[in-house]
């Protein structure tokens, strides 16, 4: 019997490695013990019933299909599990489960709050009535269900070993409710002190289970602010109640460590933010591609989050932009970018605050926004602790690309073609422990040109990720540690030492902790691979994509450290490329077919017998000449022409043209932008303009009764400084006279006489039955008292 500890290994007589299925050398009971499951993913809250595929379990001598319920977890990503069929005596089967952040989970896998804003504003002015929720009935196999409220909180002293997260069953909203996929109710304030739980989720589970039973099949809503069950005092005066909470949060924040200094600065523009895919990713709550809901950032059209949490405190960064592409700052707008004490997506090692995905962020960054900004009008307290980071310290990454048959543009802008057949080092950084390798293969059996067909990568001890063209070149296949990944359920995956995003079958992005990003796009049967590296990689890269140091002269360096002497000589460039062929011991690729074993693993990594066409043939009689002339023009046309006239494919040539133009646009988007930093309006004045980049103008003016001193207009200059002089608003002489008169009137001179006079009138007119005081009753010119 094959025990689960052999999963992933090659044995003497058979294989338990993940490639054994395609190589047809699996041990007979491989699938019985190295199990696959369906579905393979679900909410971090648990409750998903998944089936154990292929494996059979004996019950009363009969074979049964096994299934498990995913548990409540405090972490995301691929979670290994073991299975016992004898009540925990032995665990002989092993697999992995993908735990997903509730915000990234597809809606078909969770219960939905109908008008979720209403749920989270319930009890505030003009928000009341019944609440409704829906769910897919297939998520809970039962005729009757219970609707339960669960609460989350964090206890213990922050940033100590005693800081813990806690989920708890609170109470049921309904029992034995028909499993018809919907539920509505009229909420009331919670009893028995449960209203002290301000964050939670509603769970739908079978009525056959006891109340609050853990780890049962269930559908969960997203975690949300529990406004709808808060105490009666909240409904009587939600703004006052929220202000007290806001002040308590403000006091707590004053006692906690300052995390702002260790988070990355925001990109200066929306273009930079969307281009820097190694370090920033779209915030699912404010996505320009999906209509820009931006509930918490009014005025913004797109927000991104820093992918990596800060190292010490696990903090996060969020950056928001308006329709002009300018960053929105909290100093100017309630919709501005806000950093987070707890990264919304959590961070390794997860499990404990403030690194618990989603929940820690709610506790320290979102509930407080409700207290101070949404349930009351006291955002200045929130923004004092969550001010926007401007972009003065932001440094754009450098980009390099491989595309077409294949052509290379290095980090420093050197472009060339290398049509070797084999496996080569694209990027190697010993200092950062990043390795990116590329495999090339002939475009067709009859053409002497190659294309990139696979890219494999790893950083330090991370998972190995490979992206390759599928058979037929119709899309991309992603392998995790040599096992094929499915994206049918999720588009985002938290991996060991990396993040992976694949929204379509032709689009994959890999993000590493260093900030390195690798984008792979399938175009016309070819792969375009873009590598983005932050400034930390300067002078620390080798390989076919060059030394990233701003100097194009040393980009083309052989693996023995000698420099290409003549970059216009295609044969010398071919020798340069061949020198970067990888060794078997360092290969990251998967060899799961006889073709790959014979062509690459058991053969020299650079095929010396394959000699490509070096120069584009120029023949007016070529039937593709007219198409090449039509499709290929302008900068980079030589790459397009090669792929049409040598690769014999107008489609690939057009894809090459698109890839080249996309890279030019990317480089343009990532160009450094200078910021002079936020400029405040003068006291007793105002400003016009909220853009602070080079060339921007800000106009300043004073309120009525004040004179402007300094500059009325300031320009952000090329040296990063504002032009002109500091602007001040000085009270005018007329205002000073009025202020002195007012001061005299109310500071012990006329005021006592005024008060006595009013009281005297009040006393001598009792017969009029007037009720008034010095603070509420004005005196008319005739000496009569009038009420408001």
């Amino acid at each position: 019997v094959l025990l689960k500890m052999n999963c992933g290994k090659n044995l003497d007589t058979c294989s338990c490695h993940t490639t054994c299925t395609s190589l047809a050398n699996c041990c007979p009971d491989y699938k019985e013990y190295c199990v696959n499951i369906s579905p393979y993913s679900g909410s971090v809250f648990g409750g998903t019933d998944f089936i154990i595929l292929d494996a059979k379990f004996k019950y009363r001598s009969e074979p049964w299909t096994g299934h498990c319920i995913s548990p409540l977890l405090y972490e995301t990503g691929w979670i290994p599990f073991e299975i016992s069929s004898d009540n925990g005596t032995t665990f002989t089967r092993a697999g992995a489960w993908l735990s997903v952040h509730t915000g990234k989970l597809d809606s078909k896998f969770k219960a939905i709050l109908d008008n979720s804003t209403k749920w989270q504003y319930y009890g505030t002015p003009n928000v009341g009535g019944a609440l409704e929720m829906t769910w897919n009935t297939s998520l809970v196999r039962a005729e009757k269900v219970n609707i339960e409220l669960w609460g989350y909180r964090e206890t213990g002293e922050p940033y100590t070993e005693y800081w813990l997260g806690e989920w708890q069953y609170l109470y049921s909203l309904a029992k034995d409710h028909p499993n018809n996929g919907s539920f509505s109710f009229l909420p009331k304030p919670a009893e028995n002190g449960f209203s002290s739980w301000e964050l939670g989720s509603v769970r739908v589970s079978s009525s056959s289970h006891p109340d609050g039973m853990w780890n049962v099949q269930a559908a969960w809503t997203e975690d949300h602010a529990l406004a709808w069950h808060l105490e009666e005092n909240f409904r009587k005066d939600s703004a006052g109640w929220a202000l007290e909470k806001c002040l308590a949060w403000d006091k707590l924040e004053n006692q906690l460590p300052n995390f702002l200094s260790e988070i990355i600065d925001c990109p200066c523009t929306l273009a930079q933010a969307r281009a820097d895919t190694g370090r920033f990713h779209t915030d699912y709550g404010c996505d320009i591609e999906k209509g820009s809901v931006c509930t918490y950032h009014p005025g913004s059209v797109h927000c991104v989050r820093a992918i990596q949490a800060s190292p010490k405190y696990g903090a996060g960064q969020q950056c928001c932009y308006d329709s002009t592409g300018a960053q929105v700052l909290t100093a100017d707008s309630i919709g501005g970018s806000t950093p987070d004490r707890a990264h919304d997506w959590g961070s390794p090692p997860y499990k404990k605050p403030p690194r618990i995905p989603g929940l820690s962020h709610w506790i320290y960054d979102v509930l407080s926004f409700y207290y101070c900004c949404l349930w009351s009008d006291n955002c200045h307290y929130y923004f004092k602790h969550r001010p926007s980071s401007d972009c003065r310290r932001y440094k754009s990454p450098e980009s390099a690309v491989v595309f077409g048959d294949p052509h290379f543009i290095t980090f420093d802008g050197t472009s060339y073609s290398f049509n070797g057949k084999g496996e080569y080092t694209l990027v190697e950084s010993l200092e950062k422990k990043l390795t990116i390798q590329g495999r090339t293969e002939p475009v067709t059996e009859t053409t002497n040109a190659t294309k990139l067909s696979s890219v494999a990568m790893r950083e330090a001890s991370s998972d190995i990720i490979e992206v390759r063209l599928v058979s037929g070149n119709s899309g991309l296949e992603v392998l995790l540690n040599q096992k094929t990944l499915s994206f049918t359920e999720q588009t985002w995956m938290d991996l060991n030492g990396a993040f992976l995003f694949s929204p379509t079958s032709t689009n994959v992005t890999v993000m590493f902790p260093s900030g390195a990003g690798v984008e792979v796009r399938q175009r016309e049967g070819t792969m375009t691979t873009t590598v983005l590296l932050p400034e930390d990689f300067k002078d620390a890269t080798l390989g076919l994509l060059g030394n990233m140091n701003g100097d194009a002269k040393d980009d083309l360096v052989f693996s023995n450290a000698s420099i290409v002497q003549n970059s216009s000589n295609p044969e010398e460039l071919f020798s340069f490329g061949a020198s970067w062929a990888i060794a078997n011991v360092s290969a990251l690729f998967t060899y799961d077919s006889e073709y790959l074993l014979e062509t690459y693993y058991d053969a020299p990594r650079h095929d010396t017998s394959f000699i490509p066409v070096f120069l584009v043939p120029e023949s007016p009689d070529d039937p593709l000449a007219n198409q090449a002339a039509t499709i290929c023009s302008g900068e980079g046309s030589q790459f397009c022409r090669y792929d049409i006239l040598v690769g014999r494919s107008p489609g690939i040539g057009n894809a090459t043209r698109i890839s080249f133009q996309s890279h030019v646009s990317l480089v343009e988007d990532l160009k450094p932008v200078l910021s002079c930093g936020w400029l405040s309006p003068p006291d007793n004045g105002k400003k016009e303009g909220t853009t602070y980049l080079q060339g921007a103008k800000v106009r300043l003016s004073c309120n009525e009764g004040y004179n402007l001193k300094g500059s009325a207009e300031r320009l952000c200059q090329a040296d990063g400084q504002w032009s002109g002089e500091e602007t001040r608003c000085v009270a005018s002489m007329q205002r000073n006279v009025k202020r002195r008169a007012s001061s005299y009137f109310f500071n012990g001179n006329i005021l006592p006489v005024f008060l006595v006079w009013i009281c005297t009138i009040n006393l001598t007119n009792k017969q009029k039955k007037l009720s008034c005081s010095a603070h509420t009753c004005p005196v008319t010119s005739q000496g009569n008292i009038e009420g408001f």
Side-chain angles (χ1 to χ4, degrees), residues 418-438:
F418 168 61
N419 270 264
K421 176 190 173 187
E423 295 175 345
Y424 308 92
T425 297
L426 299 180
V427 178
E428 181 78 41
S429 178
L430 298 178
E431 182 179 326
K432 297 294 182 180
K433 300 180 180 179
L434 173 68
T435 301
I436 305 173
Q437 301 172 347

Side-chain angles (χ1 to χ4, degrees), residues 103-308:
K104 296 177 179 176
L105 189 70
D106 192 290
S107 59
K108 63 176 174 284
F109 294 109
K110 55 190 174 187
I112 305 298
L113 302 177
D114 183 45
N115 190 352
S116 62
T117 301
K118 181 178 178 180
W119 285 70
Q120 298 177 102
Y121 277 78
Y122 200 96
T124 61
N126 304 315
V127 183
L131 295 177
E132 299 181 5
M133 58 180 287
T134 59
W135 64 92
N136 184 337
T137 57
S138 67
L139 296 176
V140 183
R141 291 193 305 273
E143 291 185 4
K144 299 288 184 69
V145 294
N146 291 346
I147 315 295
E148 302 174 338
L149 176 63
W150 288 65
Y152 177 83
R153 64 185 174 189
E154 293 182 354
T155 59
E157 184 179 351
Y159 303 103
T160 70
E161 61 179 311
Y162 305 106
W163 197 9
L164 301 173
E166 176 189 6
W167 267 107
Q168 181 176 308
Y169 163 75
L170 302 183
Y171 56 87
S172 291
L173 297 170
K175 295 185 178 182
D176 296 321
H177 180 78
N179 187 15
N180 57 11
S182 66
F183 172 67
S184 64
F185 69 108
L186 191 66
K188 59 183 180 179
E191 300 176 348
N192 303 320
F194 287 130
S195 66
S196 63
W197 295 77
E198 298 165 8
L199 172 66
S201 176
V202 179
R203 189 181 84 167
V204 182
S205 59
S206 172
S207 296
S208 62
H209 301 302
D211 293 347
M213 184 175 179
W214 291 89
N215 301 329
V216 298
Q217 187 182 29
W220 293 82
T221 68
E222 283 195 42
D223 36 351
H224 61 280
L226 302 179
W228 52 272
H229 96 144
L230 294 180
E231 60 185 330
E232 187 65 34
N233 287 339
F234 177 77
R235 299 191 179 188
K236 291 179 179 178
D237 180 15
S238 58
W241 184 95
L243 175 57
E244 286 189 19
K245 291 285 186 177
C246 178
L247 293 174
W249 174 79
D250 173 57
K251 184 177 180 181
L252 173 64
E253 280 290 316
N254 288 330
Q255 300 168 3
L256 296 179
N258 183 356
F259 66 90
L260 297 174
S261 61
E262 72 165 1
I263 57 175
I264 186 175
D265 262 16
C266 286
C268 291
T269 66
L270 176 57
Q272 286 180 334
R274 299 187 72 186
D276 192 351
T277 52
R279 293 182 292 180
F280 294 91
H281 189 76
T282 298
D283 184 345
Y284 51 79
C286 183
D287 184 355
I288 196 171
E289 298 291 339
K290 297 181 179 178
S292 301
V293 179
C294 306
T295 303
Y296 303 115
H297 298 277
S300 297
V301 299
H302 193 75
C303 294
V304 296
R305 291 191 182 276
I307 294 165
Q308 305 295 335

Side-chain angles (χ1 to χ4, degrees), residues 1-11 14-17 27-35 81-86 89-95:
V1 173
L2 169 68
L3 298 179
K4 58 93 181 174
M5 64 276 298
N6 287 323
C7 293
K9 296 181 181 180
N10 284 308
L11 306 181
C14 59
S15 175
C16 304
H17 193 268
C27 299
D29 49 4
Y30 168 68
K31 288 188 177 181
E32 180 76 20
Y33 293 95
C34 306
V35 301
F81 65 82
E82 298 175 349
I83 302 172
S84 172
S85 57
D86 55 9
T89 302
T90 60
F91 292 85
T92 58
R93 294 172 170 88

